[in-house]
Coordinates of all heavy atoms in Angstrom, one line a residue:
F27 N 101.4 77.2 118.1 CA 99.9 77.2 118.0 C 99.3 77.3 119.4 O 99.9 76.8 120.4 CB 99.4 76.0 117.2 CG 99.6 74.7 117.9 CD1 98.6 74.1 118.7 CD2 100.8 74.0 117.7 CE1 98.8 72.9 119.4 CE2 100.9 72.7 118.4 CZ 99.9 72.2 119.2
Y28 N 98.1 77.8 119.4 CA 97.4 78.0 120.7 C 96.0 77.4 120.6 O 95.3 77.7 119.6 CB 97.3 79.4 121.1 CG 96.5 79.7 122.3 CD1 96.9 79.3 123.6 CD2 95.2 80.3 122.2 CE1 96.2 79.6 124.7 CE2 94.5 80.5 123.4 CZ 94.9 80.2 124.6 OH 94.2 80.4 125.7
V29 N 95.6 76.6 121.5 CA 94.2 76.0 121.5 C 93.4 76.6 122.7 O 93.7 76.3 123.9 CB 94.3 74.5 121.7 CG1 92.9 73.9 121.7 CG2 95.1 73.9 120.6
P30 N 92.5 77.5 122.5 CA 91.8 78.2 123.5 C 91.0 77.2 124.5 O 90.9 77.5 125.7 CB 90.8 79.1 122.8 CG 91.4 79.3 121.5 CD 92.1 78.1 121.1
E31 N 90.5 76.1 123.9 CA 89.7 75.2 124.7 C 90.5 74.6 125.9 O 90.0 74.4 127.0 CB 89.2 74.1 123.8 CG 88.3 73.1 124.6 CD 87.7 72.0 123.7 OE1 88.1 72.0 122.5 OE2 86.9 71.3 124.2
T32 N 91.8 74.4 125.6 CA 92.7 73.8 126.7 C 93.6 74.9 127.3 O 94.3 74.6 128.2 CB 93.5 72.7 126.1 OG1 94.3 73.1 125.0 CG2 92.6 71.5 125.6
D33 N 93.6 76.1 126.7 CA 94.5 77.1 127.1 C 96.0 76.7 127.1 O 96.7 76.9 128.1 CB 94.1 77.6 128.5 CG 94.8 78.9 128.9 OD1 95.2 79.7 128.0 OD2 95.1 79.2 130.1
R34 N 96.4 76.1 126.0 CA 97.7 75.5 125.9 C 98.4 76.0 124.6 O 97.7 76.0 123.5 CB 97.7 74.0 126.0 CG 97.4 73.5 127.4 CD 97.5 72.0 127.4 NE 97.2 71.4 128.7 CZ 98.1 71.2 129.6 NH1 99.3 71.5 129.4 NH2 97.7 70.7 130.8
W35 N 99.7 76.3 124.7 CA 100.5 76.5 123.5 C 101.3 75.3 123.1 O 101.6 74.5 124.0 CB 101.5 77.7 123.7 CG 100.8 79.0 123.7 CD1 100.4 79.7 124.8 CD2 100.6 79.9 122.6 NE1 99.9 80.9 124.4 CE2 100.0 81.1 123.1 CE3 100.9 79.7 121.2 CZ2 99.7 82.1 122.2 CZ3 100.6 80.8 120.4 CH2 100.0 82.0 120.9
G36 N 101.5 75.1 121.8 CA 102.4 74.0 121.4 C 103.2 74.5 120.2 O 103.0 75.6 119.7
E37 N 104.2 73.6 119.8 CA 105.1 73.9 118.7 C 104.8 73.1 117.5 O 104.3 71.9 117.6 CB 106.5 73.7 119.1 CG 107.0 74.7 120.2 CD 108.5 74.5 120.6 OE1 109.1 73.6 120.0 OE2 109.0 75.2 121.4
I38 N 105.0 73.7 116.3 CA 105.0 72.9 115.1 C 106.4 73.1 114.5 O 107.2 73.9 115.0 CB 103.9 73.4 114.1 CG1 104.1 74.9 113.7 CG2 102.5 73.2 114.7 CD1 103.2 75.4 112.7
P39 N 106.8 72.3 113.5 CA 108.1 72.4 112.9 C 108.4 73.9 112.5 O 107.6 74.6 112.0 CB 108.1 71.5 111.7 CG 107.0 70.5 112.0 CD 106.0 71.2 112.8
D40 N 109.7 74.2 112.6 CA 110.2 75.6 112.2 C 109.8 75.7 110.7 O 109.9 74.8 109.9 CB 111.7 75.7 112.4 CG 112.0 75.9 113.8 OD1 111.1 76.0 114.7 OD2 113.2 75.9 114.1
M41 N 109.6 77.0 110.3 CA 109.4 77.3 108.9 C 110.7 77.1 108.1 O 111.8 77.0 108.7 CB 108.9 78.7 108.7 CG 107.5 78.9 109.3 SD 106.9 80.6 109.1 CE 108.0 81.5 110.3
L42 N 110.7 77.1 106.8 CA 111.9 76.9 106.0 C 112.7 78.2 106.0 O 113.9 78.1 105.8 CB 111.5 76.6 104.6 CG 110.6 75.3 104.4 CD1 110.2 75.1 103.0 CD2 111.4 74.1 105.0
N43 N 112.1 79.3 106.2 CA 112.8 80.6 106.1 C 112.4 81.5 107.3 O 111.4 81.3 108.0 CB 112.4 81.3 104.8 CG 112.8 80.5 103.6 OD1 113.9 80.5 103.2 ND2 111.7 79.9 103.0
D44 N 113.2 82.5 107.6 CA 112.9 83.5 108.6 C 111.8 84.4 108.0 O 111.9 84.8 106.8 CB 114.1 84.3 108.9 CG 115.2 83.5 109.6 OD1 114.9 82.5 110.2 OD2 116.4 83.9 109.4
H45 N 110.9 84.8 108.8 CA 109.8 85.8 108.4 C 109.5 86.7 109.6 O 109.2 86.2 110.7 CB 108.5 85.1 108.0 CG 108.6 84.2 106.8 ND1 108.4 84.8 105.5 CD2 108.9 82.9 106.6 CE1 108.5 83.8 104.6 NE2 108.8 82.7 105.3
S46 N 109.5 88.0 109.4 CA 108.9 88.9 110.3 C 108.2 90.0 109.5 O 108.5 90.3 108.3 CB 109.9 89.6 111.2 OG 110.8 90.5 110.5
G47 N 107.1 90.5 110.0 CA 106.3 91.5 109.3 C 105.7 90.8 108.0 O 105.4 91.5 107.1
A48 N 105.4 89.5 108.1 CA 104.8 88.8 107.0 C 103.3 88.8 107.1 O 102.7 89.3 108.1 CB 105.4 87.4 106.9
S49 N 102.6 88.1 106.2 CA 101.2 87.9 106.3 C 100.9 86.4 106.2 O 101.6 85.7 105.4 CB 100.5 88.6 105.1 OG 100.6 90.0 105.2
A50 N 99.9 86.0 106.9 CA 99.5 84.5 106.9 C 98.0 84.4 106.7 O 97.3 85.2 107.2 CB 100.0 83.8 108.1
H51 N 97.6 83.4 106.0 CA 96.2 83.2 105.7 C 95.9 81.7 105.7 O 96.8 80.9 105.3 CB 95.7 83.8 104.4 CG 95.8 85.3 104.4 ND1 94.9 86.1 105.0 CD2 96.8 86.1 104.0 CE1 95.2 87.4 104.9 NE2 96.4 87.4 104.3
E52 N 94.7 81.3 106.0 CA 94.3 79.9 105.9 C 93.4 79.7 104.7 O 92.5 80.5 104.4 CB 93.4 79.5 107.1 CG 92.9 78.1 107.1 CD 91.5 78.0 106.4 OE1 90.8 79.0 106.3 OE2 91.2 76.9 105.9
I53 N 93.8 78.7 103.9 CA 93.0 78.4 102.7 C 92.8 76.9 102.7 O 93.8 76.1 102.7 CB 93.6 78.9 101.4 CG1 93.8 80.4 101.4 CG2 92.8 78.4 100.2 CD1 94.5 80.9 100.2
D54 N 91.6 76.4 102.7 CA 91.3 75.0 102.6 C 92.1 74.2 103.7 O 92.6 73.1 103.4 CB 91.7 74.4 101.2 CG 90.7 75.0 100.1 OD1 89.6 75.3 100.5 OD2 91.2 75.1 99.0
G55 N 92.2 74.7 104.9 CA 92.8 74.1 106.0 C 94.3 74.1 106.0 O 95.0 73.5 106.9
H56 N 94.9 74.8 105.0 CA 96.4 75.0 105.0 C 96.8 76.4 105.3 O 96.0 77.3 105.1 CB 96.9 74.6 103.6 CG 96.7 73.2 103.2 ND1 95.5 72.6 102.9 CD2 97.6 72.2 103.1 CE1 95.6 71.4 102.6 NE2 96.9 71.0 102.7
I57 N 98.0 76.5 105.9 CA 98.5 77.9 106.3 C 99.5 78.3 105.2 O 100.4 77.6 104.9 CB 99.1 77.8 107.6 CG1 98.1 77.4 108.7 CG2 99.8 79.1 108.0 CD1 98.7 77.1 110.1
Y58 N 99.3 79.5 104.7 CA 100.2 80.1 103.8 C 100.8 81.4 104.4 O 100.1 82.2 105.0 CB 99.5 80.5 102.5 CG 99.1 79.3 101.7 CD1 97.8 78.7 102.0 CD2 99.8 78.8 100.7 CE1 97.4 77.6 101.2 CE2 99.4 77.7 99.9 CZ 98.2 77.1 100.2 OH 97.8 76.0 99.5
I59 N 102.2 81.5 104.4 CA 102.8 82.7 104.9 C 103.6 83.3 103.7 O 104.3 82.6 103.0 CB 103.7 82.4 106.1 CG1 104.3 83.7 106.6 CG2 104.8 81.4 105.8 CD1 105.0 83.6 108.0
V60 N 103.5 84.6 103.6 CA 104.0 85.3 102.4 C 104.9 86.5 102.8 O 104.4 87.3 103.6 CB 102.8 85.8 101.5 CG1 103.3 86.5 100.3 CG2 101.9 84.6 101.2
G61 N 106.1 86.5 102.2 CA 106.9 87.7 102.3 C 107.4 88.1 103.7 O 107.6 87.3 104.6

């Protein structure tokens, strides 16, 4: 993740599966990654 206010990158836990060329969207404050 990247926070523009502090110009810093950070890490969150790895996803459960490998994904490239996928799509991600935010809904109600949660991140969904698909396919």
Side-chain angles (χ1 to χ4, degrees):
F27 67 92
Y28 175 72
V29 181
E31 185 177 4
T32 59
D33 191 26
R34 290 180 180 273
W35 285 93
E37 295 183 356
I38 60 176
D40 288 356
M41 295 181 289
L42 303 176
N43 301 284
D44 297 330
H45 292 273
S46 68
S49 297
H51 295 280
E52 178 272 336
I53 300 177
D54 294 333
H56 294 74
I57 298 169
Y58 293 83
I59 184 167
V60 179

